[in-house]
Amino acid sequence: MAFEKADKIWMNGKYVNWDEAKVHVLTHALHYGSAIFEGIRSYQTKTSPAIFRLEDHLKRLYDSCKIYRMTIPYSMDDLKKAIVELIKINKLEDCYIRPLVYRGYHHLGVDPTSCPIEVSIAVYKWGKYLENTTACVSTWFRIAPNTLPSMAKCAANYMNSQLIKLEAREHGYGEGIALDVSGHVSEGSGENIFIVRDSTLITPPYGASILPGVTRNTVITLALEMGYKVIEENIPREALYIANEVFFTGTAAEISPVTSIDKVKIGCGEPGPLTSKIRDKYNKLVRDEEEDKHKWLTLVK
Ligand code: PMP
């Protein structure tokens, strides 16, 4: 689906018109994948739009940049204010927020140090990314430790994600599930994964080459508060097929039930009861219809 254009994009401290937010073709990031980004959602509530877990997403942005020795020339507070202001200027309610930090135009070569660190933030309307979905186990593995760091949300990692997604689509599935190099379940192309067995939620640990998802953390927190047991441990592939329920989590995907994997029906082939309960709770929380006891919402006022 094409972009629904907003009015302004924030680029290096300035609000520029959507169609003028451009870069040079010799921008370092275009050639060598040297960009870090975030994906954040804002939801309309009774009173105003509210950004979900803004600080946690920004924390991950700074952490990802630290891994790649990229110093962001703005404080976290500057970026927070810019995001709030940008939503206001563009008069958006439900929207997706895409901060991007990238190595810009100066010189091409693998050594990136002479290229400036540029920052942009775009906000735009974006509906559902995934809903109830079928999935397959990908023939592509997730990036191995000591190759590309999976804890960094780096643009380069998404070439691996694209292979996983393209393969799934070519075979008629909604999403692909990648294994890590040791053969354990890792994650989807752009989502973390949970399985449910006997009212216990199980999700792969950081060591399984996953991105530490903000939604993953939200689900773990909510599930524990709801009295469920949550385990972070290595999941063998076959555990997917015999799980009572499986779901993906992500800012874009939110909570997306997986109804079949490799054509094997999961549970009764419908969103399971525990997935549905957690999804309802999540949907209420992001719209400020539940007490925000963790202070996860930033109201856009
Ligand atoms: N894994 C990958 C590879 C992703 O791209 C995403 C989306 N950012 C996630 C997991 C989920 O992360 P979050 O819940 O923070 O959006």
Side-chain angles (χ1 to χ4, degrees):
M1 203 173 47
F3 280 115
E4 196 168 324
K5 290 184 192 178
D7 198 18
K8 300 282 183 195
I9 288 180
W10 187 96
M11 278 186 97
N12 298 316
K14 295 198 178 72
Y15 296 95
V16 301
N17 291 332
W18 177 281
D19 287 330
E20 282 149 31
K22 294 181 179 159
V23 296
H24 196 279
V25 289
L26 294 177
T27 295
H28 193 273
L30 275 179
H31 297 255
Y32 299 115
S34 44
I36 300 291
F37 66 97
E38 267 306 316
I40 313 169
R41 274 193 195 262
S42 171
Y43 295 87
Q44 183 59 24
T45 70
K46 298 175 283 288
T47 52
S48 68
I51 307 166
F52 191 61
R53 301 197 67 171
L54 176 58
E55 277 176 19
D56 298 299
H57 282 284
L58 289 179
K59 169 98 179 42
R60 190 172 62 191
L61 184 78
Y62 281 81
D63 285 348
S64 300
C65 286
K66 188 171 185 190
I67 292 170
Y68 281 100
R69 278 69 165 169
M70 292 165 77
T71 306
I72 303 180
Y74 300 95
S75 70
M76 201 188 281
D77 211 43
D78 291 338
L79 296 190
K80 215 174 143 179
K81 282 188 187 134
I83 289 171
V84 170
E85 200 50 35
L86 197 60
I87 295 176
K88 281 204 255 178
I89 291 177
N90 285 298
K91 300 188 177 61
L92 286 165
E93 296 185 335
D94 282 15
C95 68
Y96 186 74
I97 305 158
R98 169 52 60 89
L100 177 74
V101 181
Y102 58 99
R103 299 223 188 235
Y105 167 88
H106 180 70
H107 168 72
L108 276 190
V110 173
D111 179 354
T113 42
S114 66
C115 293
I117 304 285
E118 316 264 1
V119 185
S120 68
I121 306 167
V123 295
Y124 48 89
K125 276 194 199 162
W126 199 27
K128 291 262 174 237
Y129 177 68
L130 264 189
E131 279 184 285
N132 302 349
T133 186
T134 59
C136 61
V137 174
S138 184
T139 61
W140 294 102
F141 286 174
R142 203 76 186 118
I143 40 184
N146 249 354
T147 59
L148 287 169
S150 65
M151 288 183 90
K153 194 166 167 63
C154 178
N157 296 6
Y158 287 82
M159 291 310 283
N160 173 254
S161 290
Q162 287 176 54
L163 290 170
I164 295 163
K165 189 78 177 182
L166 285 168
E167 184 187 53
R169 287 194 54 169
E170 275 162 21
H171 292 99
Y173 299 98
E175 184 53 291
I177 300 168
L179 306 179
D180 68 12
V181 275
S182 65
H184 295 115
V185 174
S186 175
E187 59 181 349
S189 67
E191 311 84 19
N192 293 114
I193 192 166
F194 284 78
I195 68 171
V196 180
R197 260 184 89 76
D198 306 326
S199 296
T200 297
L201 278 97
I202 311 170
T203 194
Y206 287 178
S209 298
I210 64 163
L211 181 78
V214 174
T215 323
R216 173 185 183 276
N217 175 270
T218 304
V219 165
I220 292 174
T221 308
L222 295 181
L224 291 172
E225 285 173 5
M226 290 159 86
Y228 297 113
K229 198 168 159 202
V230 182
I231 305 173
E232 292 173 63
E233 67 177 18
N234 284 329
I235 300 176
R237 174 178 181 163
E238 61 273 25
L240 294 171
Y241 306 122
I242 57 173
N244 305 119
E245 304 177 35
V246 177
F247 61 91
F248 288 123
T249 64
T251 300
E254 299 166 310
I255 317 274
S256 296
V258 181
T259 49
S260 70
I261 298 173
D262 296 335
K263 301 207 159 67
V264 178
K265 208 197 270 183
I266 303 302
C268 52
E270 303 273 328
L274 203 150
T275 309
S276 303
K277 272 190 205 143
I278 290 182
R279 186 173 52 174
D280 289 351
K281 188 110 180 149
Y282 182 83
N283 289 342
K284 283 195 179 132
L285 193 65
V286 297
R287 294 197 180 274
D288 204 15
E289 291 162 11
E290 288 257 334
E291 189 201 344
D292 178 23
K293 61 178 163 191
H294 299 285
K295 303 269 177 282
W296 280 339
L297 301 181
T298 302
L299 297 181
V300 178
K301 284 191 168 165

